[in-house]
Amino acid sequence: MRILILGNMANDGYSVAKALWKMNVDVDLAVNSSEFAMGLPEWEDGDISTDIDPYNTHRDDIKNTSLSGRIRYFDLLNKVKGRRKRLFSKAKAKINLIRMIREYDIVEVNSPYVIFSQFSGIPNVVYDPGWIRYFPYRNGFYDKLARRGYSKAKGVIITNPDTFSISDTLTYLDQQRIYFSPFAIDSEKYCPFPIEELRAKYINNNGILLFSPSRQYWCEKGNDKMIKAFARFVKIFPDSKLVAVDWSNDAQNSKDLVNSLHISEKVDWIKPVAKKQLIEFYNAADIILDQFILGSWGTATAEAMSCQKPVLMFYKEEYIQRAFGENPPILNSFSEEDIFSNLVKLAKDPDFRLSIGRKSREWIIKTHSPDIVAKKHLDIINQCL
């Protein structure tokens, strides 16, 4: 059986493929070379400069031929001059993509590429990183194509447990073919280690360093609640500091909110960094703050937990229990008051902070290890053939 993993949003496909390669499974990974840089394997495992803009980066800018594994690249952007030539080039690239898919027995397709793979005549298993959230109310051309692709798929892998609340209601999906799999997190790579030099750039030895890796998108991440909670927290712990990432829709709104709360000197903004640098920020921090709206986590929470850090974020217990059979050692925080009180609890008790960190790493190894996740994917693929 030849398997193709098509697409690599947030390097989810690459993480699963690496584990399958170790198991000697006949699987290739296909990556769009003009993908948002965070979806390129080099972002995960390459040695990338800290001044790379993920919005304006082509793989040619960060190409790393030392990456191991069976990776095939295609380019759907095709920035050629001239409208006619560009349209022809893009159409040709999509036809070639479908031809490539037909070389395999089954494709595990990461959205948005299901809009193409559904026409390949090859069995599709859709890997949903969260696009399903928008199905009930978006009605654009690509959304309609995506819904069709999901409905025709042999299986749909849910990665965000909160989206069960949506998949359960979609009558065009076969509920017997809805599966759950967590993200694959390599605990040998995402591991605790001292990084005093980076920490010292932001804070003194007695301070509390907070790090929020989330993009600034208030309606999904709740960054505004986090900033308001931190403004209260810093009054109690004046030696504390927050490092946040300067990207996405509400970046300027977040900066304006920080200024209006008069805590500018307590907040440092960094540009998005590749995973090698991101791991250093996880380890430099005392507490990680992720997202406070959606109700389940992406890779950032799991990566930070694997680095043995306590995490504050919001999860919907009903769906997390359904996915994992238990709650994680995360300080569940939805409101500004939740975030504030949990920050104070962690800051006042270093032993509690360390205990939550240790339990977090143990839980991620138990639930998100690449070999566990890869075997789950392989089992789903076998069921869908």
Side-chain angles (χ1 to χ4, degrees):
M1 174 177 63
R2 295 194 69 205
I3 303 168
L4 178 67
I5 295 178
L6 174 60
N8 194 39
M9 182 178 288
N11 270 290
D12 294 342
Y14 179 53
S15 297
V16 173
K18 283 196 296 181
L20 290 172
W21 291 328
K22 288 182 179 179
M23 296 163 57
N24 295 315
V25 175
D26 188 1
V27 58
D28 289 347
L29 171 68
V31 178
N32 186 359
S33 58
S34 55
E35 179 75 78
F36 179 53
M38 291 183 184
L40 296 173
E42 287 82 358
W43 192 266
E44 183 71 31
D45 281 344
D47 191 7
I48 297 177
S49 168
T50 55
D51 59 358
I52 289 290
D53 179 0
Y55 286 103
N56 297 295
T57 300
H58 189 278
R59 181 179 175 257
D60 290 342
D61 303 322
I62 57 174
K63 188 181 297 183
N64 188 334
T65 55
S66 67
L67 292 180
S68 61
R70 292 160 43 181
I71 306 174
R72 302 178 66 170
Y73 290 93
F74 59 96
D75 190 347
L76 291 185
L77 196 55
N78 289 296
K79 291 184 176 179
V80 296
K81 292 183 178 180
R83 184 173 180 273
R84 268 185 158 182
K85 287 184 178 180
R86 187 164 57 251
L87 289 173
F88 176 77
S89 182
K90 286 186 176 182
K92 184 179 178 181
K94 292 168 185 175
I95 291 169
N96 287 338
L97 177 61
I98 291 174
R99 285 174 176 165
M100 180 176 69
I101 295 169
R102 288 174 177 165
E103 298 174 21
Y104 297 86
D105 298 304
I106 191 167
V107 55
E108 179 179 299
V109 55
N110 197 321
S111 57
Y113 301 107
V114 68
I115 63 179
F116 308 117
S117 64
Q118 61 184 292
F119 300 110
S120 66
I122 300 301
N124 278 219
V125 175
V126 177
Y127 179 91
D128 178 72
W131 197 2
I132 200 170
R133 286 195 180 100
Y134 310 111
F135 282 9
Y137 62 89
R138 282 189 184 174
N139 209 31
F141 176 67
Y142 287 119
D143 298 295
K144 291 177 180 178
L145 272 181
R147 288 196 289 268
R148 181 185 186 279
Y150 277 54
S151 69
K152 300 290 185 182
K154 298 294 185 181
V156 176
I157 300 175
I158 296 294
T159 59
N160 294 266
D162 70 286
T163 60
F164 280 132
S165 63
I166 297 166
S167 65
D168 287 349
T169 66
L170 300 179
T171 56
Y172 50 82
L173 294 184
D174 182 349
Q175 296 301 317
Q176 299 302 312
R177 293 187 178 273
I178 303 293
Y179 306 91
F180 171 75
S181 176
F183 303 105
I185 304 296
D186 183 353
S187 61
E188 293 183 5
K189 175 181 177 179
Y190 294 93
C191 64
F193 57 82
I195 188 78
E196 297 304 326
E197 186 177 348
L198 178 61
R199 181 180 172 83
K201 283 179 61 177
Y202 298 100
I203 205 160
N204 61 42
N205 288 336
N206 298 320
I208 301 291
L209 183 61
L210 314 180
F211 176 50
S212 177
S214 298
R215 58 192 172 98
Q216 305 301 313
Y217 193 41
W218 290 8
C219 66
E220 290 190 359
K221 306 299 183 181
N223 319 81
D224 51 333
K225 293 189 287 187
M226 178 197 72
I227 291 168
K228 291 173 184 176
F230 176 68
R232 296 167 60 188
F233 174 79
V234 80
K235 292 177 182 178
I236 303 173
F237 298 92
D239 289 334
S240 62
K241 207 156 197 183
L242 169 66
V243 176
V245 183
D246 180 10
W247 72 298
S248 202
N249 305 49
D250 288 308
Q252 190 57 52
N253 290 334
S254 291
K255 291 178 181 179
D256 291 345
L257 179 58
V258 165
N259 291 335
S260 70
L261 295 170
H262 309 292
I263 55 171
S264 299
E265 74 283 359
K266 295 296 182 180
V267 180
D268 278 295
W269 298 95
I270 64 169
K271 293 298 182 182
V273 293
K275 290 301 181 71
K276 182 179 178 181
Q277 291 82 33
L278 185 63
I279 294 169
E280 293 179 353
F281 275 98
Y282 289 144
N283 277 290
D286 296 294
I287 303 167
I288 307 297
L289 301 119
D290 192 13
Q291 49 187 345
F292 304 97
I293 297 287
L294 294 177
S296 54
W297 54 84
T299 53
T301 281
E303 290 166 355
M305 292 173 73
S306 187
C307 290
Q308 208 160 293
K309 295 298 174 178
V311 176
L312 268 64
M313 55 89 60
F314 169 61
Y315 63 87
K316 295 178 179 177
E317 291 192 15
E318 174 187 354
Y319 299 112
I320 296 300
Q321 287 272 355
R322 176 172 165 181
F324 295 101
E326 61 182 2
N327 288 334
I330 292 171
L331 276 72
N332 201 3
S333 309
F334 178 74
S335 67
E336 175 190 330
E337 181 60 34
D338 293 336
I339 301 167
F340 168 70
S341 60
N342 282 326
L343 278 176
V344 171
K345 188 185 301 182
L346 287 168
K348 282 185 173 180
D349 191 341
D351 290 336
F352 177 61
R353 200 161 65 232
L354 292 173
S355 173
I356 292 293
R358 285 192 296 269
K359 290 176 182 177
S360 295
R361 178 167 170 80
E362 291 168 0
W363 196 81
I364 289 298
I365 291 172
K366 182 178 75 171
T367 57
H368 289 63
S369 290
D371 58 337
I372 294 173
V373 174
K375 288 174 184 174
K376 183 168 288 193
H377 278 247
L378 195 56
D379 182 53
I380 292 169
I381 287 169
N382 283 322
Q383 290 182 56
C384 292
L385 270 175

